[in-house]
Amino acid sequence: MARKTASDDLLAPVTLAVGQEDLLLDRAVREVVAAARAADADTDVRDLTPDRLQPGTLAELTSPSLFAERKVVVVRDAQDLSADTVKDVKAYLGAPAEEITLVLLHAGGAKGKGLLDAARKAGAREVACPRMTKPADRLAFVRGEFRAAGRSATPEACQALVDSIGSDLRELASAVSQLTADIEGTIDEAVVGRYYTGRAEASSFAVADRAVEGRAVEALEALRWSLSTGVAPVLITSALAQGVRAIGKLQSSPNARPADLGMPPWKINQVRQQMRGWTPDGVSVALRAVAAADAGVKGGGDDPEYALEKAVVTIARAARSRGRS
């Protein structure tokens, strides 16, 4: 979930939401708007993109009103504001208006860093909204969603949900919402399986798991299902690469600690099961197949689907290089 720093006062004069995770950025805005409307049901909300915030616009929006109305001004993609508009925002930060909350959404990074630093120096309430690229982050997000809903879910259920849904936080949040609305009591892995089996089988990681286990027919079925449900080919090649690399890592360092391998314990246990039958030569062959497929789906070939099918078959054969049945 988004992490808050500085003041947790939702009606602080300035809120700075930093990051590139759209769901968390939108939530940061919704929280402020909800708090403002709880204080004043007639709160005026202005949601602006850089092209709509011209020099002088902020001054107009934040000028005193005859009716002293409460207002929330949201500025999206603040890192893309023009130099003149940035000057306006910085000037406003030095003397924010009463009854007005300014919400700046900034991607972070070097672009527009001057504005970011100025907002922090002015004491803005800050909400961190980092993009969640690691499976462990998404798992923590799901656990947090269940906690926020006041519900209990087993660790296996949370993991199954991440494996089934994938990396889209909006879909993960929606899945948690659906489960908590439909199911009473503790949510376990069996419940997640009933709701999301089809999604799990269609995921890019399901394709990779079946391939590295040497189950070519099932891997091809999962591949075709994934493509038919709109999974991007580049996500599938990425999952294949992760699956093969994990086997290579564990094969070369079988006694390494989870932290050294960059994998949680549950993943290491899964890979130990999958790596039976693999040889170092097989890993090399599989990695070359993944590289060829990656080039194929990124424009190096005429048929991305064929490139993926070829990679899946090659990986499955490599997994059976010791005659695994």
Side-chain angles (χ1 to χ4, degrees):
M1 298 180 68
R3 301 187 301 276
K4 301 178 181 63
T5 61
S7 169
D8 278 341
D9 179 10
L10 290 167
L11 296 181
V14 181
T15 285
L16 177 65
V18 184
Q20 300 179 43
E21 191 59 68
D22 289 340
L23 173 66
L24 301 183
L25 291 167
D26 286 345
R27 282 186 175 179
V29 173
R30 287 202 303 271
E31 286 180 348
V32 172
V33 171
R37 285 182 169 158
D40 181 352
D42 295 325
T43 294
D44 181 22
V45 178
R46 302 296 180 93
D47 199 324
L48 306 171
T49 51
D51 60 305
R52 295 178 57 198
L53 192 63
Q54 302 299 322
T57 303
L58 183 62
E60 292 177 12
L61 292 174
T62 58
S63 60
S65 167
L66 290 175
F67 304 102
E69 64 180 356
R70 182 175 291 278
K71 187 178 294 185
V72 176
V73 178
V74 181
V75 179
R76 297 183 182 272
D77 300 319
Q79 72 280 353
D80 296 330
L81 292 173
S82 68
D84 288 339
T85 302
V86 167
K87 290 180 182 178
D88 287 352
V89 177
K90 286 182 177 179
Y92 178 81
L93 293 173
E98 293 184 9
E99 301 298 312
I100 293 178
T101 298
L102 175 65
V103 184
L104 297 174
L105 275 55
H106 195 293
K111 187 176 183 182
K113 190 173 184 299
L115 178 57
L116 194 62
D117 292 342
R120 286 169 171 162
K121 186 176 180 180
R125 167 183 174 267
E126 184 168 342
V127 183
C129 305
R131 190 178 296 283
M132 297 188 182
T133 58
K134 297 179 181 178
D137 292 338
R138 294 192 286 273
L139 184 59
F141 171 79
V142 168
R143 290 171 176 163
E145 291 291 287
F146 280 117
R147 282 197 301 271
R151 298 296 301 278
S152 176
T154 66
E156 294 79 11
C158 293
Q159 185 62 60
L161 198 58
V162 172
D163 290 342
S164 300
I165 300 298
S167 60
D168 191 312
L169 288 200
R170 292 187 189 278
E171 292 194 18
L172 285 170
S174 176
V176 170
S177 179
Q178 180 180 25
L179 289 170
T180 55
D182 292 355
I183 305 299
E184 296 182 359
T186 299
I187 295 165
D188 59 20
E189 187 177 10
V191 169
V192 175
R194 287 201 303 272
Y195 271 70
Y196 297 104
T197 294
R199 289 295 302 272
E201 292 175 358
S203 75
S204 55
F205 289 104
V207 178
D209 286 341
R210 300 298 83 78
V212 300
E213 290 163 3
R215 296 154 64 179
V217 173
E218 293 177 38
L220 288 171
E221 289 177 351
L223 172 63
R224 288 161 190 154
W225 195 346
S226 294
L227 293 172
S228 69
T229 55
V231 176
V234 292
L235 294 181
I236 298 174
T237 56
S238 176
L240 290 170
Q242 289 182 48
V244 176
R245 286 181 190 136
I247 287 171
K249 282 184 180 180
L250 196 56
Q251 194 178 70
S252 60
S253 305
N255 298 316
R257 296 175 302 173
D260 295 331
L261 293 169
M263 292 184 279
W266 69 264
K267 181 64 175 178
I268 291 177
N269 291 334
Q270 180 186 50
V271 176
R272 287 191 196 282
Q273 297 294 320
Q274 293 174 333
M275 66 186 288
R276 296 171 184 169
W278 280 90
T279 66
D281 287 343
V283 171
S284 297
V285 168
L287 286 174
R288 288 196 295 271
V290 172
D294 189 56
V297 303
K298 291 179 178 176
D302 296 329
D303 190 342
E305 184 173 337
Y306 173 73
L308 287 169
E309 289 181 354
K310 185 177 179 181
V312 164
V313 171
T314 301
I315 293 168
R317 286 176 178 169
R320 300 172 65 89
S321 57
R322 283 184 179 169
R324 179 169 173 253
S325 59

